[in-house]
Amino acid sequence: MGQRKGNGPAVRQAVEYDLVELVRLRALLFEDLGGDFFSPASADDDWLDALAVVLKEQLTSDAVRILVVDGDGDGDGDRGLAACGIATIEQRLPGPHLRNGRIGHVIGVVTDPSYRRRGHSRSIMRSLLDWFGEREVARVDLYASAEGEPLYRELGFTHHPDPALYWRP
């Protein structure tokens, strides 16, 4: 049974039955982001199998929250998912700027194109922020697409003060 936040769509925790749709939506996220970093021309689809394995493991993890909104259906009983959001909590070392060392990460929120502009991402994000709050997370980080940034700013996200670099072996 999904939970409603205000008048928004029903949000529920994902279950193993949702795996195929979760993989589909996650792939859609990278297609939407595009570019050589998120969707390299040399990439094949073998990462989708690895994604399914990891998502299945994380469905029951206390440090991961995967939320979904069900689709409306097309008359044949297969509703699919309209949207999903994935978040994790990482335990780092406490410091003066991070008293308990708990950092939340929104790994990705994506809505199927046919369900966009209906409040699904907003409902998922509010539920994820509630989850972070219940676990006393000191900070929540995310990377925002140009389309998603206005929503995240409305929810209180601001520019991150830490300079970020990355390395790939």
Side-chain angles (χ1 to χ4, degrees), residues 24-36:
R24 178 185 71 82
L25 288 173
R26 187 82 177 147
L28 180 62
L29 174 69
F30 292 115
E31 287 173 16
D32 286 350
L33 291 172
D36 288 337

Side-chain angles (χ1 to χ4, degrees), residues 12-20 22 55 59 66 68 81:
R12 67 173 174 83
Q13 191 163 346
V15 295
E16 191 171 333
Y17 177 82
D18 297 315
L19 280 173
V20 170
L22 288 170
L55 283 172
L59 282 172
I66 304 174
V68 298
L81 294 178

